[in-house]
Amino acid sequence: MKSNKKVSNAVIRRLPRYLRILEELDKQGEQRVSSRELGEKTGFTASQIRQDLNQFGGFGQQGYGYNVQGLKVEIENILGLVRDYRLVIIGLGRLGRAIANFNFVYNPSFPIVGMFDTNPEVIGTTINGVTVADVKTLPAFLEEHRIDIGVISVPKDDAEQVADTLAAGKVKGIWNFAPLDVPEVDGIPVENVHLSDGLQFLVYHIQQDER
Amino acid sequence: MKSNKKVSNAVIRRLPRYLRILEELDKQGEQRVSSRELGEKTGFTASQIRQDLNQFGGFGQQGYGYNVQGLKVEIENILGLVRDYRLVIIGLGRLGRAIANFNFVYNPSFPIVGMFDTNPEVIGTTINGVTVADVKTLPAFLEEHRIDIGVISVPKDDAEQVADTLAAGKVKGIWNFAPLDVPEVDGIPVENVHLSDGLQFLVYHIQQDER
DNA sequence: TAGATTGTTAATCGATTAACAATC
DNA sequence: TAGATTGTTAATCGATTAACAATC
């Protein structure tokens, strides 16, 4: 760690992309990579990559570049990907089950350890080995277990209340899939996912091409 | 339409958010909204909102603000949300099925009219009324039907090849969920979705708070 | 050593915010 | 009319790119 002034979110959001490429290169057995190569593979400029990485430290070596595995580990450390993060998910309708399944397959370091819903037909069912409980039991569950991240996939109108319950239960972050922006509660970071926004952005460009 | 210089993507990406709020206000029966109110609800500054909207035209009225329904329609027009867009989805494993279900519920204007996979156990099954076909039949299907958007949810190593097939079949846009960045082919716009990146961004902030 | 590539400063570019005249 | 709020220009801010000395 080199500087103590806050690093911008724009930089942080690029780190997972760098990480993806580094994992790829590592799997291919590559030992070194230059900022130029990394630029080609990520679509950013070499200059920007060096600028970004130097916010955190001088990970490279003049005349050589970066050690693939070393840089991968550095970025994992920066992002905090050094331990598992335990999730609960609230709302196991279609969307919730989809997220649970996706997460089960693609994010093994983010185990979902609790599932909650209000629907009596859903409560008691088992998804990826976890039994869905009544959302009324959520506060007690959060009290008992140390939960890192709450995933919200309930209907829009219930989302804020769920966020409040999660905040009261001292989760450390909220990953929201309900189609509204959940505001920060108690300074707990929130990541609002709006898949449809990306689709609408795509449509804009499709329509531009049609002119 | 007022100016003909290209509007930046940063602006376009904010439009779906404005639209969400306007739909909400419209549903609540609100007739008018000021840039200040819109700013409070979206988290952007009033100044930025006026600046953004004026890239496309003067939709407001001094001393009054914006007409909710009018502005909603304007933004829908800008984004191109004036007709349905027909999708095909390739890859109906866990992730693909999740996306298909999500899309079926939340994006009714984006019907999935074709589903394709390589797995004999998946081919022939029906999801939301659509029967999964062998991916070998995809080129013929694209030839026969006018498809707007191809959704990619195949394993990483197959994604680029699928993208090429979609491009050859003259889709107008690609919505990619495979965990790599599909590059543009033939200038066809691509929206790469990386859910895990958002989760990693969240983890960074969680870990910062723990300092 | 010579060549390559970083780390870092300075220059540029673009996006956001502030300010206010226009006007409903 | 007076008050409110836009549209728009100018100022500021921040992020990206360029350049190059340092150095492996």
Side-chain angles (χ1 to χ4, degrees), chain A residues 8 10 14 45 47-48 50-51 61-63:
Chain A
S8 86
R14 283 191 290 270
T45 63
S47 193
Q48 179 164 63
R50 293 202 302 280
Q51 192 76 270
Q61 191 171 304
Q62 280 101 328

Side-chain angles (χ1 to χ4, degrees), chain B residues 14-112:
Chain B
R14 283 190 290 268
L15 297 180
R17 187 127 147 216
Y18 299 152
L19 190 56
R20 250 201 322 280
I21 303 294
L22 289 165
E23 281 165 356
E24 193 79 8
L25 289 169
D26 192 28
K27 216 171 287 167
Q28 289 164 15
E30 296 292 330
Q31 304 268 318
R32 53 175 279 199
V33 65
S34 67
S35 58
R36 186 184 46 73
E37 288 176 85
L38 220 37
E40 280 162 18
K41 289 187 189 293
T42 57
F44 304 121
T45 64
S47 193
Q48 178 163 64
I49 290 168
R50 293 203 301 280
Q51 192 76 269
D52 282 357
L53 297 177
N54 276 83
Q55 305 256 347
F56 303 99
F59 303 138
Q61 191 173 301
Q62 280 100 327
Y64 175 85
Y66 300 86
N67 176 272
V68 169
Q69 217 170 40
L71 186 56
K72 175 171 157 287
V73 170
E74 291 288 359
I75 294 179
E76 284 169 352
N77 283 332
I78 294 165
L79 285 171
L81 303 174
V82 292
R83 63 170 178 98
D84 283 7
Y85 289 82
R86 293 149 53 86
L87 316 192
V88 293
I89 182 166
I90 295 88
L92 287 133
R94 253 181 221 256
L95 175 59
R97 287 197 301 270
I99 295 163
N101 278 326
F102 167 83
N103 192 72
F104 185 70
V105 177
Y106 290 95
N107 297 327
S109 304
F110 295 84
I112 298 181

